[in-house]
């Protein structure tokens, strides 16, 4: 199935969200998200804290089930996949988590090799070679491979998380706040690595962030989420003349404007 | 406001928790019999639960066997003490004390660490990361712990049976001056298959209970360090209470006439 909403470049849609709703109790987090990501495209979703960015990403990954609407990957409805079908689908995905989410019980190289040894059933020696080459690709030497994740600095953890996300050479990579908690220089290093890795793999990328410097660097296209909806989407070059007051307020970081910060939850 | 409302609300919340737990337990059990399996993870848990609990279980049962011999002696007239004490020690240890005390000690040691480890993995998104790496966290984290728990507790209790009985022997022979060979043969005469078997069945049930409570509370923990702390407490308390209840139920099944 090809998608009628296929983006400007005319490429087929890799990921498509149609009218996705998700509520927790009485709190509606997603109110009909529509988003199409073309194959090979890098989309960054921006938005304030608590606007539903993470929930949207988890709905695509199947970590949360949408209350309504559907998620399509490669034209196939994946909204209700579970069990081994879901596991098989996840082989197309790589994800860099906000806190890197490295497994503390395993040394760094086994973290990077995890998808290779567990899902792809590669032999340990072979998986280790690949893991070390992926670590090299993110600028870490082989000696780092033997360390435990607890011994790494924040920037190094993000790099290892990135190496793990790209180790199985997925065709879709997700980045959850890739630069949060890093100093600006290290943030830029991670941005460069993300751009390089995504380009080398030819992967489709979806990132969520509120760091505009990061968004401008990583994105082909930017979408802004507010109130559980995508309120604007367009090429990164047009973000400064979007004509949308919400987007303007957000990218310029102004307290005054149509977006009123929710001080209290709910 | 209706004065019964808080009671009803608490009851509904409790039943909600029970239902949630039942679903979790059934899911976990169904994953126990379906591949893929993770032998490396099972081995790690076997070592953690079995081998590293040996000192705790050994110390507990040794001193319990010793105390039992002294208490029995102080409560019994001299007549027949040489037969009564080995009998009391070996029956009490194999039927009740080794399984229950080993179960409670392991619940404190292992139930807490399972809940804390899995709970931390939950709040630091490591469980989500397992999902994105095409690995079912139920199979990778929960199943190995359940299998290792149900297998290793009987082994620990068997060791505890021997050490507890030996504790009684130490007191009987070295403090009370019984004849060593007579003590051993009296012990042997009093040892019954049903007592040991019922103890091992209890141990397997306790081991499973400890693991499933640790995993459940860890897996469903929310809200950072405080959530993990609460999960750890709940895992140990609920496992301990369930052990005592199960002990009664299994004793009824084996010994009621």
């Amino acid at each position: 199935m090809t998608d009628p909403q296929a983006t400007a470049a005319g490429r087929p849609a890799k990921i498509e969200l149609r009218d996705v709703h998700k509520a927790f109790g009485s709190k509606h987090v997603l109110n009909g998200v529509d988003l199409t990501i073309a194959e090979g495209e890098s989309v960054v979703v921006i938005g304030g804290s608590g606007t539903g960015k993470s929930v949207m990403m988890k709905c695509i990954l199947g970590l949360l089930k949408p209350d309504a609407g559907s998620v399509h990957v490669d034209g196939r409805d994946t909204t209700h996949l579970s069990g081994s079908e879901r596991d098989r689908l996840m082989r197309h995905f790589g994800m860099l988590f906000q806190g890197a989410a490295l497994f503390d019980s395993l040394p760094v190289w086994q973290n990077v090799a995890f998808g290779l040894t567990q899902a792809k059933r590669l032999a340990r020696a072979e998986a280790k070679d690949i893991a070390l080459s992926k670590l090299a690709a993110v600028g870490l030497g082989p000696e780092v491979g033997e360390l435990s994740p607890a011994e790494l600095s924040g920037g190094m953890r993000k790099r290892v998380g990135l190496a793990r996300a790209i180790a199985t050479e997925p065709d879709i990579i997700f980045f959850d706040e890739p630069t949060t908690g890093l100093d600006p220089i290290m943030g830029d290093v991670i941005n460069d690595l993300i751009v390089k890795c995504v380009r080398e793999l030819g992967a489709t990328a979806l990132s969520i962030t509120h760091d505009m410097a990061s968004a401008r660097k990583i994105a082909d296209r930017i979408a802004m989420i507010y109130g559980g909806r995508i309120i604007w989407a367009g090429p990164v070059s047009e973000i400064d003349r979007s004509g949308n007051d919400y987007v303007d307020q957000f990218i310029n970081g102004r307290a005054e404007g149509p977006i009123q910060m929710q001080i209290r939850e709910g | 406001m209706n004065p019964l409302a808080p009671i009803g609300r608490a009851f509904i919340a409790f039943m909600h928790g029970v239902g949630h737990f039942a679903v979790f337990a059934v899911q976990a059990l169904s994953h126990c019999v379906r591949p893929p399996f993770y032998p490396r993870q099972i081995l790690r848990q076997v070592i953690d639960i079995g081998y590293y609990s040996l000192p705790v279980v050994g110390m507990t049962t040794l001193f319990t066997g010793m105390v039992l011999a002294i208490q029995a002696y102080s409560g019994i007239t001299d007549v027949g003490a040489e037969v009564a004490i080995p009998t009391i020690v070996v029956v009490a240890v194999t039927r009740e004390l080794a399984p229950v005390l080993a179960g409670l000690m392991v619940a404190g040691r292992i139930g807490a660490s399972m809940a804390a480890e899995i709970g931390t993995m939950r709040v630091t998104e490591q469980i989500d990361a397992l999902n994105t790496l095409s690995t079912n966290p139920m199979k990778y984290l929960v199943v190995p712990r359940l299998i290792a728990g149900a297998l290793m507790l009987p082994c620990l209790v068997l060791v505890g049976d021997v050490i507890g009985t030996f504790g009684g022997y130490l007191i009987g022979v070295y403090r009370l001056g019984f004849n060593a060979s007579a003590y051993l043969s009296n012990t042997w005469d009093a040892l019954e298959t049903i007592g040991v078997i019922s103890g091992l069945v209890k141990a397997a049930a306790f081991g499973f209970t400890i693991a499933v409570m640790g995993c459940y509370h860890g897996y469903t923990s929310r809200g950072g360090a405080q959530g993990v702390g609460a999960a750890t407490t709940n895992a140990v308390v609920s496992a301990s209470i369930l052990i005592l209840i199960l002990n009664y139920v299994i004793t009824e099944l084996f010994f009621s006439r």
Side-chain angles (χ1 to χ4, degrees):
Chain A
M1 197 181 85
T2 53
D3 170 63
Q5 292 186 41
T7 44
R11 288 171 295 192
K14 188 80 181 168
I15 300 173
E16 202 188 342
L17 288 91
R18 290 187 199 155
D19 196 29
V20 172
H21 290 258
K22 180 72 189 174
F24 297 97
S26 62
K27 192 173 156 66
H28 292 265
V29 181
L30 300 182
N31 287 309
V33 172
D34 288 292
L35 182 67
T36 306
I37 303 166
E39 204 171 323
E41 184 184 37
S42 174
V43 170
V44 172
V45 174
I46 57 173
S49 311
T51 48
K53 303 189 298 281
S54 298
V55 172
M56 179 192 77
M57 202 172 243
K58 286 183 175 173
C59 284
I60 303 175
L61 289 167
L63 299 173
L64 294 172
K65 290 257 177 281
D67 298 332
S70 61
V71 177
H72 297 250
V73 177
D74 281 328
R76 176 169 167 232
D77 188 346
T78 62
T79 322
H80 301 290
L81 284 189
S82 60
S84 56
E85 291 236 49
R86 170 67 63 184
D87 290 346
R88 217 167 300 134
L89 175 72
M90 293 322 294
R91 287 183 203 169
H92 296 277
F93 284 82
M95 167 126 184
L96 173 57
F97 285 86
Q98 187 175 347
L102 303 178
F103 306 125
D104 335 275
S105 57
L106 301 174
V108 165
W109 80 262
Q110 284 189 30
N111 263 282
V112 177
F114 196 91
L116 302 166
T117 52
Q118 303 298 336
K120 291 200 168 181
R121 300 265 156 203
L122 250 56
R124 277 168 76 85
E126 194 183 346
K128 185 166 186 176
D129 285 345
I130 297 175
L132 293 182
S133 75
K134 296 295 173 190
L135 281 174
V138 297
L140 296 173
E143 70 285 351
V144 178
E146 302 301 331
L147 298 177
S148 130
E151 297 172 79
L152 304 179
S153 68
M156 283 165 95
R157 292 174 72 87
K158 280 273 160 82
R159 289 187 198 217
V160 174
L162 179 59
R164 185 174 71 181
I166 61 171
T168 53
E169 313 206 330
D171 31 306
I172 303 166
I173 311 184
F174 284 4
F175 301 97
D176 182 0
E177 312 254 359
T179 56
T180 299
L182 300 179
D183 68 77
I185 298 170
M186 184 54 81
D188 201 49
V189 170
I190 296 291
N191 287 335
D192 285 339
L193 279 173
I194 287 174
V195 171
K196 176 181 136 231
C197 292
V198 170
R199 194 171 298 145
E200 279 173 4
L201 286 174
T204 306
L206 172 65
S207 319
I208 54 180
T209 187
H210 47 233
D211 172 3
M212 282 314 297
S214 172
R216 286 173 200 274
K217 195 144 194 173
I218 304 173
D220 297 328
R221 216 150 59 86
I222 292 182
M224 171 140 174
I225 190 168
Y226 178 70
R229 274 201 190 85
I230 302 288
I231 55 162
W232 184 85
V236 64
S237 54
E238 288 174 18
I239 185 91
D240 291 314
R241 39 200 164 79
S242 64
N244 185 311
D245 292 342
Y246 292 87
V247 176
D248 275 343
Q249 186 194 348
F250 187 84
I251 64 175
N252 295 309
R254 285 192 294 257
E256 298 300 315
I259 305 175
Q260 292 301 313
M261 267 297 146
Q262 270 190 313
I263 308 296
R264 274 190 293 172
E265 285 286 307
Chain B
M1 207 181 105
N2 188 339
L4 292 177
I7 301 170
R9 214 173 294 127
F11 182 72
I12 290 171
F14 174 75
M15 292 316 284
H16 181 263
V18 170
H20 206 238
F21 169 73
V23 170
F24 178 87
V26 168
Q27 267 186 357
L29 277 173
S30 79
H31 283 297
C32 282
V33 291
R34 282 183 295 160
F37 301 110
Y38 296 96
R40 215 175 254 279
Q41 295 303 309
I42 297 176
L43 184 68
R44 208 191 120 203
Q45 294 305 323
V46 161
I47 293 171
D48 228 30
I49 300 173
Y51 185 69
Y52 287 116
S53 298
L54 274 175
V56 173
V57 171
M59 293 298 272
T60 311
T61 49
L62 177 71
F63 284 101
T64 305
M66 288 165 66
V67 166
L68 197 59
I70 295 175
Q71 292 284 23
Y73 186 70
S74 76
I76 290 173
T77 52
D78 275 343
V79 187
E82 290 221 4
V83 179
I85 288 174
T87 306
I88 290 171
V89 169
V90 77
V91 169
V93 165
T94 53
R95 281 191 186 189
E96 289 297 333
L97 293 171
V100 172
L101 291 177
L104 292 176
M105 296 307 283
V106 174
R109 211 185 86 81
I110 296 296
S113 86
M114 280 181 187
E117 186 177 355
I118 296 180
T120 307
M121 290 185 76
R122 167 62 74 196
V123 301
T124 57
E125 296 187 305
Q126 291 180 50
I127 291 183
D128 290 343
L130 279 173
N131 275 311
T132 66
L133 292 162
S134 307
T135 303
N136 188 323
M138 276 286 200
K139 288 191 196 300
Y140 186 80
L141 294 175
V142 177
V143 168
R145 286 168 168 80
L146 297 186
I147 292 176
L151 285 183
M152 292 324 287
L153 247 266
C155 298
L156 284 169
V157 165
L158 213 50
V159 174
D161 284 349
V162 174
I163 295 179
T165 310
F166 176 68
Y169 170 88
L170 284 182
I171 294 297
V173 173
Y174 295 100
R175 283 268 283 106
L176 309 177
F178 296 165
N179 178 292
S181 67
Y183 191 99
L184 285 181
S185 80
N186 287 334
T187 299
W188 185 252
D189 290 342
L191 190 65
E192 350 136 271
T193 315
I194 182 93
V196 177
I197 298 290
S198 71
L200 297 185
V201 169
K202 285 177 180 179
F206 298 167
F208 182 83
T209 305
I210 294 165
V212 81
M213 291 326 276
C215 292
Y216 171 73
H217 286 287
Y219 208 80
T220 53
S221 68
R222 291 281 179 279
Q226 204 186 2
V228 175
T232 310
T233 309
N234 290 339
V236 175
V237 171
S238 59
S240 304
I241 291 173
L242 279 174
I243 283 174
L244 297 173
I245 296 173
L246 273 175
N247 184 42
Y248 167 72
V249 172
I250 299 174
T251 306
E252 278 281 5
L253 288 178
F254 269 92
F255 298 105
S256 70
R257 304 219 165 102

